[in-house]
Amino acid sequence: MKKTILDFNRMKDAGERIVFLTCYDYLTAKYQERAGVDMILVGDSLGMVLLGYDTTFPVTMDDMIRQSQAVRRGAPDTFLIGDMPYMSYQVSDEEAISNAGRFIKEALCDCIKLEGAGVDILSRIRAISGAGILTMGHIGLTPQFAGQLGGYKAQGRSADAAIKLVEQAKRIEEAGACSILVEGVPAIVGREITKRAEIPILGIGAGSYTHGQLLIYADMVGMYDNFTPKFVKKYADIGGELQKAFTAYSEEVRAGSFPVDAEHSYKISDAEAEKFMEILENQ
Ligand code: KIV
């Protein structure tokens, strides 16, 4: 049965860890749901993982909606979060509400996520959750703000910066977020944010104390090899397996050794085959 925000709050209170993965396509979603993943994020990281961009900046709302729909078809019974892409919410509360609404209406998502912690972001969180849409905040290493952060670097590594993150988390909670994703911070910072939170705190590269853990699925199964962050643990080498399979197939096709056996060909009865050849020969 699909978990709701009430289940996640209960899990937080009971100390049960929330399992969270990104996903961008129908097939992978099916495997994640079968594995019992609690929450799926259709992250704007699809720009890099699925579309081959160097950053998430070019990702559009239409990209996000199409892939969220595919994930929903693969995982009909999993709590699904749509990630607001660059410039889908920065301009105004009105635009943010209408783009957040597309995730719910067109892709049947349960929640949306948006990055950042400035005054305008708090206003967007108030507006979107005020419109009745579950809203997950995202602080720490927020890729859409990489320019202002001076690159894709771990955050909260000085006492002042760490305090700022603890304060941001509280403000986001007060603005009405249903949960917060904390990315790329020292474990002690993840721990102190989590301790003070009344809502579930999910972490990616934020240590082991958060209420749940997120990884980008293509990193943890060894598919995305352009860059692997320090916090990623590899649970499989699917990239290596794909490479082996594609190479073996190429070799067999070139050598004429696939397909040869009866197992991989359609059959025709001897009588029909004989008749077929006879017709051809008499033409
Ligand atoms: O887009 C995404 O997958 C994300 C994670 C990196 C946190 O936002």
Side-chain angles (χ1 to χ4, degrees):
M1 210 173 67
K2 184 157 90 173
K3 292 194 171 78
T4 69
I5 191 63
L6 300 181
D7 295 305
F8 298 125
N9 285 328
R10 184 196 52 73
M11 288 170 78
K12 163 193 166 294
D13 293 340
E16 286 171 37
R17 302 295 174 102
I18 301 166
V19 180
F20 192 17
L21 277 175
T22 69
C23 189
Y24 320 105
D25 68 282
Y26 164 78
L27 272 183
T28 311
K30 253 182 20 178
Y31 289 113
Q32 292 191 1
E33 181 160 293
R34 281 182 200 159
V37 167
D38 295 312
M39 291 181 170
I40 292 177
L41 171 69
V42 183
D44 64 353
S45 49
L46 70 75
M48 294 153 91
V49 175
L50 202 70
L51 303 177
Y53 298 130
D54 289 334
T55 68
T56 58
F57 293 116
V59 175
T60 65
M61 268 307 292
D62 287 345
D63 293 332
M64 295 304 303
I65 295 296
R66 192 183 325 105
Q67 298 318 128
S68 301
Q69 289 168 333
V71 171
R72 176 46 92 209
R73 287 191 284 270
D77 294 322
T78 305
F79 190 85
L80 187 63
I81 300 154
D83 202 10
M84 302 281 283
Y86 185 61
M87 283 302 144
S88 67
Y89 62 95
Q90 283 87 345
V91 175
S92 68
D93 285 353
E94 289 72 18
E95 256 188 57
I97 295 172
S98 94
N99 282 320
R102 286 192 64 193
F103 279 106
I104 310 299
K105 202 172 166 135
E106 297 175 38
L108 306 179
C109 286
D110 299 292
C111 178
I112 62 91
K113 171 176 91 55
L114 79 183
E115 298 180 14
V119 181
D120 288 348
I121 303 300
L122 296 177
S123 169
R124 304 297 179 265
I125 293 172
R126 258 182 238 112
I128 297 169
S129 45
I133 297 172
L134 288 173
T135 306
M136 177 182 281
H138 179 173
I139 58 171
L141 199 183
T142 43
Q144 291 183 29
F145 294 82
Q148 287 177 338
L149 300 178
Y152 297 87
K153 298 177 179 163
Q155 300 296 303
R157 299 182 81 179
S158 68
D160 285 350
I163 292 288
K164 220 163 137 185
L165 283 168
V166 171
E167 290 170 355
Q168 286 174 352
K170 257 298 149 207
R171 281 198 293 268
I172 287 175
E173 180 180 320
E174 284 160 11
C178 68
S179 61
I180 302 174
L181 176 66
V182 181
E183 176 170 356
V185 304
I188 186 177
V189 180
R191 185 187 72 194
E192 294 308 309
I193 290 172
T194 304
K195 254 201 227 166
R196 288 163 175 72
E198 310 254 332
I199 54 178
I201 302 296
L202 289 311
I204 175 165
S208 60
Y209 302 99
T210 51
H211 300 118
Q213 293 292 332
L214 170 69
L215 282 178
I216 292 191
Y217 98 85
D219 288 338
M220 55 86 78
V221 299
M223 280 179 84
Y224 187 78
D225 62 2
N226 299 22
F227 168 73
T228 305
K230 175 184 165 63
F231 56 80
V232 171
K233 178 173 173 186
K234 284 197 183 163
Y235 289 82
D237 180 25
I238 302 298
E241 291 302 311
L242 287 175
Q243 198 64 72
K244 275 196 246 165
F246 296 150
T247 303
Y249 170 71
S250 304
E251 285 170 0
E252 289 194 8
V253 169
R254 289 193 183 109
S257 59
F258 173 84
V260 282
D261 51 46
E263 193 187 343
H264 297 112
S265 303
Y266 293 109
K267 293 183 181 58
I268 185 169
S269 69
D270 288 349
E272 286 302 314
E274 207 175 299
K275 197 165 145 194
F276 169 55
M277 292 309 293
E278 223 176 85
I279 296 171
L280 282 181
E281 277 156 21
N282 290 329
Q283 271 178 354

